């Protein structure tokens, strides 16, 4: 069954937009991070702290594969790093998978992440200047993977509803 996969950098809105898109389309949605947390009964922060990032990436890959193999039509909100590890980017264009990159500028991401970093272990300890530099470099490094998506929707200056409507247009 068809899968709609939302990807992009931390803070671009994957979890928020997937939820709203699900309400409108009545296609159920799953957030990959939430699925991972439920699977091991630990938060993302706890997994990074206790088991380390490599273990998280392994779980992330396994869980993504499981979701893609499930029989239902679902909307999947990935984690920001999902396409960038374990060749997950090769799964973005498999038969039955429609991937959408939610593309955000450094300014948009910085503005959203500055007060929203505590549950994101990669940036939780960074100050304002470190955050800006980190986002700029990291986004550049990851763009190759994000650009493997079938569709791209720019989210800068768009409300949640406008982004959902932009996604519906590219999916039509
Ligand atoms: N126009 C918008 N579209 C999506 N998210 C927005 C928008 N404006 C503000 N936000 C906020 O930005 C944050 C995006 O976080 P989230 O959905 O968790 O992103 P991701 O899952 O990509 O890391 C949320 O706190 C959301 O409320
Ligand atoms: O960019 C990343 O490597 C990560 C993004 C997070 O998801 P969000 O993009 O939903 O914050 C989460 O998977 C983890 O903290 C690692
Ligand atoms: Mg998320």
């Amino acid at each position: 069954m068809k899968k709609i996969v939302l990807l992009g950098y931390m803070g671009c809105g994957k979890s928020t937009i997937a939820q709203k898109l699900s309400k409108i389309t009545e296609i159920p949605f799953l957030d990959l991070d939430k699925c991972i947390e439920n699977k091991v009964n630990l938060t993302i922060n706890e997994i990074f702290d206790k088991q380390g990032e490599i273990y998280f990436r392994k779980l992330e890959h396994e869980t993504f594969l499981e979701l893609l193999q499930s029989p239902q039509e679902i909307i999947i909100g990935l984690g920001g790093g999902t396409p960038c590890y374990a060749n997950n980017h090769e799964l973005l264009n498999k038969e039955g998978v429609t991937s959408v990159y939610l593309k955000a500028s450094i300014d948009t991401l910085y503005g959203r992440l500055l007060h929203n970093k505590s549950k994101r272990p990669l940036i939780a300890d960074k100050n304002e200047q470190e955050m800006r530099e980190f986002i700029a470099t990291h986004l550049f490094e990851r763009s190759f993977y994000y650009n493997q998506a079938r569709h791209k929707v720019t989210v800068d200056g768009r409300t949640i509803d406008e982004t959902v409507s932009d996604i519906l247009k590219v999916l039509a």
Side-chain angles (χ1 to χ4, degrees):
M1 269 296 230
K2 211 175 115 183
K3 307 286 184 282
I4 298 168
V5 174
L6 301 187
L7 61 124
Y9 200 77
M10 289 178 275
C12 71
K14 302 174 294 293
S15 305
T16 310
I17 300 290
Q19 203 166 352
K20 192 71 198 265
L21 185 63
S22 166
K23 275 209 185 103
I24 290 183
T25 57
E26 297 186 350
I27 301 169
F29 104 94
L30 288 170
D31 193 77
L32 184 60
D33 282 335
K34 278 275 162 297
C35 295
I36 296 169
E37 290 182 333
N38 293 341
K39 193 173 189 173
V40 293
N41 204 22
L42 293 169
T43 65
I44 299 296
N45 274 338
E46 286 168 342
I47 301 171
F48 271 73
D49 270 5
K50 293 184 180 157
Q51 325 265 9
E53 182 173 352
I54 293 173
Y55 176 73
F56 171 77
R57 296 303 172 191
K58 201 167 156 256
L59 268 179
E60 183 179 46
H61 176 63
E62 275 172 24
T63 314
F64 185 30
L65 279 180
E66 283 165 15
L67 294 190
L68 288 181
Q69 282 157 10
S70 79
Q72 308 102 304
E73 179 171 20
I74 37 175
I75 298 169
I76 307 172
L78 297 185
T82 315
C84 318
Y85 294 89
N87 288 334
N88 290 334
H89 67 287
E90 291 175 1
L91 303 170
L92 298 175
N93 290 300
K94 271 187 22 159
E95 204 191 323
V97 178
T98 306
S99 50
V100 184
Y101 170 26
L102 303 184
K103 189 169 194 271
S105 67
I106 298 164
D107 281 344
T108 298
L109 296 169
Y110 176 75
R112 289 196 196 157
L113 290 172
L114 199 53
H115 304 291
N116 247 313
K117 57 180 185 174
S118 64
K119 291 183 183 161
R120 294 183 166 91
L122 296 178
I123 53 170
D125 295 336
K126 304 209 182 298
N127 67 31
E128 293 186 16
Q129 203 199 329
E130 288 167 341
M131 274 272 279
R132 197 169 244 297
E133 284 168 17
F134 181 80
I135 293 169
T137 311
H138 206 207
L139 180 62
F140 178 75
E141 288 167 357
R142 287 180 163 187
S143 290
F144 166 80
Y145 298 98
Y146 296 154
N147 282 314
Q148 306 300 312
R150 191 175 309 249
H151 304 288
K152 192 186 303 181
V153 163
T154 299
V155 302
D156 300 316
R158 307 291 279 162
T159 63
I160 295 171
D161 286 344
E162 284 169 341
T163 295
V164 168
S165 142
D166 292 342
I167 293 173
L168 290 172
K169 276 184 210 141
V170 303
L171 295 181

